[in-house]
Structure formats: structure tokens, C-alpha cells
Amino acid sequence: MVEDMKGKIRVFCRIRPVNRTEAAQGGAIVVDKIDEFSVTIETPRGQREFQFDKVFSAEASQEDLFHDTNRLIQSAIDGYNVCIFAYGQTGSGKTFTMVGDKEQKNPGIMPRSFNAIFEIIRENSAKFEFKVSAYMLELYNDRLQDLFVSQAGEAHAQTQSHGQARRVEIKRNRKGVVFAQGAETKEASSAQELYALFQQACANRHISATKMNVESSRSHLIVGIRVESKNLTNGSVSTGKLSLVDLAGSERAAKTGAKDHQLKEANSINKSLSALGDVISALSAELPHVPYRNSKLTQVMQDSLGGNAKTLMIVNISPSEFNLDETLTSLIYATRVKAITNNAQRNVESKEIAQLKEVIMKLRSGQSVEDEDV
């Protein structure tokens, strides 16, 4: 029932544990979870309180977080556009939340979602026929890259063909659903297959060390999973899309020690996050014009933030005084997101429309069409 409430982008806040650097500095803890929905932060101007749909303390496990996210996976299988994205400064724990740790002893929302998708499919296999496909992209220095194609492999292919690298462009279909034109979409028939594709994508992603983080994500990671389900009783077809986004960290260059190409990366990251902030401000204020076109990031997330999507933002914050300014900024940003209203709708087609589409596909590919197809 909560998932079907009209027009609510849900926002979770996750406080990460104090890290070794912060412990060594001996700074004060300025963030506190008051109850399930409230968090306070001590600022030079006094205490400020923020309310969210759920607040997770530093003690909360990956299982705890996913338990409250799980129902959205069902919505994607039911034919909704669903987006789960993590936001926060560099080193606030976004990649841990979305991907998990390196050894996968504590898998994040992405790998857990893969298991949940195929668990739901298994439970419903007697009534529905399912098809799962995925694309995985990286937005790096304002360029979209297909993570199913390694950059070395792409460069080699370019040299061989003396041509341009394959361009990945963001397009929207007539229903407003975003898709990545030029990116490879791969089918998966099990959680293991989907996870193997995901590992391949992660291996091609840009990361590097900064003063704030040993392995800082230098790009936005966008995983799009399309689930098509055919009702075996009435022939209707629904198509849902689950977008899982691990945003790169917002940061101040002086604090992270970014130089040269890292500084270029940081500027590109901050520019795209600023564009996302402008879109969020326009949506929360219900302005007639929403500036989606200002950044590739906001174009990719257009069907997740505005319109008919079910969206969950997880704002990740540090509890330490050292990160007070960034934490406060993240909490204010997340409060704006909470003010956005959407009208979630399912993408369902009747049996007749599904059949007509099949006929058109056959005609286009030169196959013969039988009487029973029409």
C-alpha cells in the first residue's frame, strides 16, 4: 500500500560508521538518529532536525536496508518504472550501499536486487512468462560509456576500423521511458548470469584514490534492468524497468586533494550533480520547465525523477564534525527530493496490442505472418 501511495519519492537516510581517519582526528560526532524517521545535526548555529521516510544508524546492516527496499523490486516486475539511487559526498558510503564491499561479504542493493528479481520470477513462473535484460553504463567526464565494452577493447576496435567509438545516446520512447541507444543490452536467465554481467561492468568502471576515500568512484554508475512479463491467462504484457544508480561523490577539490585529471573528473562530477540539483529544485517547486537537458545525468534519470516512476533516494552521510558542511548540504538536498510528487503508473499492454507488435516485428524482419498471428 505504501508503494502505491500517489506521488511520493521516498528518501532514506543512512549514517555510516566513523572511519579510521575521523577516529584518528578525534573530531566530535555531530549527527544523531533520534528515531526511525528523524536525524539531527549539530551546526555552529545550533541543532537542526531533518525528517525522512526512514533513518538507518551506523549499526544498520545491508540486510536491514534492503528489507525496506525489497518491495520496490516487486513493483518493477509488476510493470512500473522504479529507480533506486544513492547520493552523498565522496567517502560517505554510497558504493558500499549500492554495490557492497569488494569481497561481497556484505553485498549492496544491486546484487541483492538481482537475487530478488529471479526469486519473484521463480515464485510466479506458473502464471507468467518473464524476460530479463540489462544495460550498464558509466557517465564519466560527461561522456556515456557502455560498461559491457571495456575501454581498451573499444580503443582497439576503433583502431581496427579507423572509426569513431560507438556513441551511447539517451533517448525516450513514446511512453517517456529512457533507453540507451548504442549501448549493448544483454539478456540474463538467472541471478548468477545478471551478477556476472554486473561484475564485468564494475571491472570497466573508473575509480581512483583521493584523500577522502581509498577507492573513490570517479563516475556515475547506471544499471538498467528491463523485466517483461506476459500473463499466461489473458496474454497482457507489462514492461517494468529497474534503474539502480550509484552516483559519484560530491566533493570539494581542496579536501580530496584532487589534481590534474582528477580535478577535471571532480569538476565534471560536481557539474552533473549541480544539474541534478536544479532538476530536483524545479520538480519540488512544481515549475513548468524542468531543465533535464542540462546534463547527461539528468537525461538518464528523467523517467526516474519526474513523471510516473517509483523512486527511492538513499542519502549517505558521515557522522563526523570534519564533514559537517558536506553532510548538511546532503541533508538539505535530500529534503528537496522528498518534496517531489510523481504519479506512478504501470506500463501494461493488452493481449491484442502485444500480438500486433509481434506481427509488426515479423513483417519488419521479413518473416511470414500466419492467420492466427493477426
Side-chain angles (χ1 to χ4, degrees), residues 13 22 56 154 173 175 178 336 344 358:
C13 173
E22 291 162 345
F56 294 88
E154 184 77 317
N173 68 16
K175 289 186 178 170
V178 168
R336 276 189 185 163
E358 215 172 303

Side-chain angles (χ1 to χ4, degrees), residues 354-366:
Q355 279 181 331
L356 277 170
K357 281 194 167 178
E358 215 172 303
V359 169
I360 290 164
M361 289 291 285
K362 281 185 176 179
L363 288 169
R364 277 187 180 158
S365 60

Side-chain angles (χ1 to χ4, degrees), residues 31 57 59 85 89 112 127 141 161 168-169 206 295 299 302 309 341 354-355 365:
V31 175
S57 70
E59 289 74 43
F85 73 101
Q89 75 171 115
R112 287 174 191 272
K127 296 175 188 170
N141 282 347
S161 64
V168 177
E169 291 187 41
H206 285 83
S295 160
Q299 287 174 43
Q302 184 166 352
T341 57
Q355 279 181 331
S365 60

Side-chain angles (χ1 to χ4, degrees), residues 90-246:
T90 294
S92 61
K94 295 177 307 301
T95 300
F96 179 70
T97 290
M98 293 304 291
V99 179
D101 54 6
K102 250 190 158 175
E103 300 77 29
Q104 286 295 296
K105 286 178 184 167
N106 289 295
I109 284 171
M110 290 179 177
R112 287 174 191 272
S113 298
F114 305 156
N115 288 329
I117 287 168
F118 284 97
E119 187 62 31
I120 295 167
I121 285 174
R122 194 181 55 76
E123 287 167 6
N124 293 279
S125 57
K127 296 175 188 170
F128 294 88
E129 193 176 273
F130 293 95
K131 192 167 118 185
V132 177
S133 55
Y135 61 81
M136 300 190 188
L137 307 173
E138 171 182 63
L139 180 57
Y140 176 71
N141 282 347
D142 208 40
R143 182 167 172 244
L144 273 171
Q145 297 181 341
D146 182 354
L147 288 175
F148 286 152
V149 181
S150 77
Q151 300 319 305
E154 184 77 317
H156 178 69
Q158 256 183 278
T159 313
Q160 296 296 307
S161 64
H162 310 292
Q164 288 291 306
R166 244 187 321 183
R167 278 173 68 95
V168 177
E169 291 187 41
I170 293 305
K171 302 284 184 186
R172 292 174 74 215
N173 68 16
R174 275 176 297 185
K175 289 186 178 170
V177 177
V178 168
F179 64 97
Q181 191 178 63
E184 221 171 307
T185 299
K186 297 194 174 185
E187 280 189 37
S189 55
S190 69
Q192 290 76 16
E193 270 183 41
L194 196 48
Y195 184 66
L197 290 174
F198 176 65
Q199 279 185 307
Q200 180 191 336
C202 287
N204 290 331
R205 191 181 179 191
H206 285 83
I207 54 165
S208 61
T210 71
K211 278 186 190 172
M212 297 289 291
N213 201 3
V214 182
E215 279 204 349
S216 174
S217 305
R218 312 307 294 157
S219 64
H220 307 298
L221 171 66
I222 300 131
V223 173
I225 302 165
R226 199 166 172 270
V227 183
E228 199 177 282
S229 63
K230 184 178 179 181
N231 186 316
L232 297 174
T233 309
N234 64 17
S236 68
V237 175
S238 70
T239 308
K241 189 178 87 167
L242 175 63
S243 299
L244 301 166
V245 183
D246 177 22

Side-chain angles (χ1 to χ4, degrees), residues 321-363:
E321 187 178 28
F322 177 67
N323 295 308
L324 172 65
D325 291 347
E326 289 87 351
T327 297
L328 191 55
T329 302
S330 293
L331 290 169
I332 291 166
Y333 195 102
T335 303
R336 276 189 185 163
V337 174
K338 206 171 172 300
I340 298 171
T341 57
N342 275 352
N343 183 15
Q345 292 170 337
R346 288 178 71 205
N347 305 311
V348 187
E349 287 171 349
S350 68
K351 177 186 177 181
E352 289 72 27
I353 291 173
Q355 279 181 331
L356 277 170
K357 281 194 167 178
E358 215 172 303
V359 169
I360 290 164
M361 289 291 285
K362 281 185 176 179
L363 288 169

